[in-house]
Amino acid sequence: MPHTRFLLSALLAVLLPAYTNAADDELIIVQEGDLPLVISAPHGGALELPGAPIRIGEGLKKGASGFFAGRDTGTEELALLVVKLLDEKLPGAPSCVISRVHRKYVDFNRPAEIGVEHEKARTLHDSWHLALRTSVNRIRETHGAGLLIDLHGQGSSASTVFRGTSHGLTVQQLKKRHGESAHAGEHSLTGILKQSGWTMHPDPFSGREQAGFTGGHIVRTYGSHKPDGIDAIQLELGADYRKASARHKVATQLADAIVRYCELYLPTNLPSSTQSTQ
Ligand SMILES: [Zn+2]
């Protein structure tokens, strides 16, 4: 299938160190799949954005929802591997939008007025959000419901993964259809990940999400609290989950958890997916 070939070339690009001068259209890895799943990773890239200066954030407030230019190391590679594993484990392909460009040039998890300081960055920011919007719209139209996983890295606690849903707001459709336990119970995505050995926060899962990791621009734009959104969960991974030596294990655990989530909460009887999900 075409998407598989595209993904393979994207994987090669990441794995081959010589591959450093990507063209503009190779700065974001986009896969348009047929499953009700989309994986995004906006901050893992390391490439330069040719012709654009490094952002300086003049006059902007710094930190959690403001200006920040640090890279979420390891999340680009991890996201790609999760997409590949989901492709193998599920009867269809997930969608993905994964940045290869360094966050110091553009921040896709902020509105343009914070994440963009140059025309080239603006074009790329527009492309990113067009790709994600296209996937989310297709998922809503085809399946009626879906899941967006937005992958990030945090430096506060190496052993912890912080869930960000704006305290359940961005998974409103999931809670409405399957009850509060689908968000905060033993068989929620958070619960499934904990069972596979991850240290999750909040725990208990019904607790308040950590300030600064409650979910950024992406989950707040595409989450199911919006009439044109799908359930959206931000995961902020500590360093233990992003180091290269743990990558295959972590990607497998996350892909398996997403597969389980699909079985419990999403229609995946592809290709026609005639099951009503309204
Ligand atoms: Zn991030």
Side-chain angles (χ1 to χ4, degrees):
M1 291 167 78
H3 71 261
T4 309
R5 283 202 303 275
F6 183 80
L7 189 63
L8 185 64
S9 70
L11 274 168
L12 284 173
V14 170
L15 297 172
L16 291 174
Y19 196 96
T20 50
N21 288 321
D24 270 18
D25 61 355
E26 292 168 325
L27 293 173
I28 304 172
I29 297 166
V30 176
Q31 172 167 287
E32 183 66 29
D34 50 6
L35 290 171
L37 282 175
V38 52
I39 308 294
S40 79
H43 294 155
L47 296 181
E48 288 183 12
L49 177 53
I54 289 170
R55 299 185 298 132
I56 53 171
E58 196 180 346
L60 295 174
K61 103 179 153 65
K62 307 280 188 280
S65 58
F67 177 84
F68 189 67
R71 183 184 167 213
D72 295 351
T73 308
T75 54
E76 175 192 340
E77 296 88 342
L78 183 69
L80 271 171
L81 192 49
V82 169
V83 170
K84 180 176 173 278
L85 292 170
L86 289 172
D87 230 336
E88 291 166 5
K89 290 170 188 283
L90 288 168
S95 298
C96 73
V97 187
I98 299 169
S99 174
R100 303 196 61 222
V101 74
H102 199 289
R103 188 183 188 177
K104 61 192 176 187
Y105 299 102
V106 55
D107 191 342
F108 305 111
N109 197 30
R110 300 286 187 276
E113 54 270 26
I114 299 173
V116 165
E117 295 181 11
H118 186 270
E119 208 45 49
K120 294 230 172 196
R122 181 173 301 278
T123 305
L124 207 60
H125 193 273
D126 287 350
S127 300
W128 168 282
H129 285 280
L130 179 63
L132 200 47
R133 172 51 68 199
T134 302
S135 286
V136 168
N137 284 356
R138 182 196 50 76
I139 287 169
R140 276 197 69 92
E141 283 161 20
T142 311
H143 303 283
L147 177 66
L148 161 64
I149 298 284
D150 188 34
L151 285 177
H152 292 264
Q154 49 78 21
S156 307
S157 168
S159 61
T160 305
V161 176
F162 294 90
R163 181 198 70 201
T165 61
S166 296
H167 310 295
L169 183 74
T170 62
V171 291
Q172 220 166 73
Q173 191 182 21
L174 173 74
K175 296 199 293 179
K176 208 168 148 189
R177 287 157 45 100
H178 297 282
E180 190 64 35
S181 67
H183 168 59
E186 197 185 335
H187 302 291
S188 64
L189 185 75
T190 314
I192 298 165
L193 288 170
K194 184 183 176 181
Q195 282 161 32
S196 69
W198 292 28
T199 302
M200 302 301 296
H201 186 285
D203 188 1
F205 313 135
S206 56
R208 297 287 288 174
E209 291 171 352
Q210 180 72 36
F213 301 128
T214 57
H217 179 60
I218 289 172
V219 298
R220 286 203 300 259
T221 301
Y222 302 101
S224 63
H225 58 300
K226 295 288 182 74
D228 56 355
I230 59 174
D231 296 309
I233 300 173
Q234 177 175 308
L235 293 176
E236 287 274 1
L237 309 178
D240 291 354
Y241 301 83
R242 292 183 283 123
K243 59 188 179 189
S245 58
R247 186 164 300 142
H248 198 270
K249 182 181 166 195
V250 168
T252 302
Q253 289 169 334
L254 180 52
D256 285 345
I258 293 170
V259 169
R260 184 72 188 122
Y261 178 101
C262 286
E263 291 165 356
L264 290 169
Y265 309 117
L266 285 175
T268 52
N269 52 335
L270 294 170
S272 55
S273 192
T274 49
Q275 179 184 319
S276 169
T277 57
Q278 296 304 317

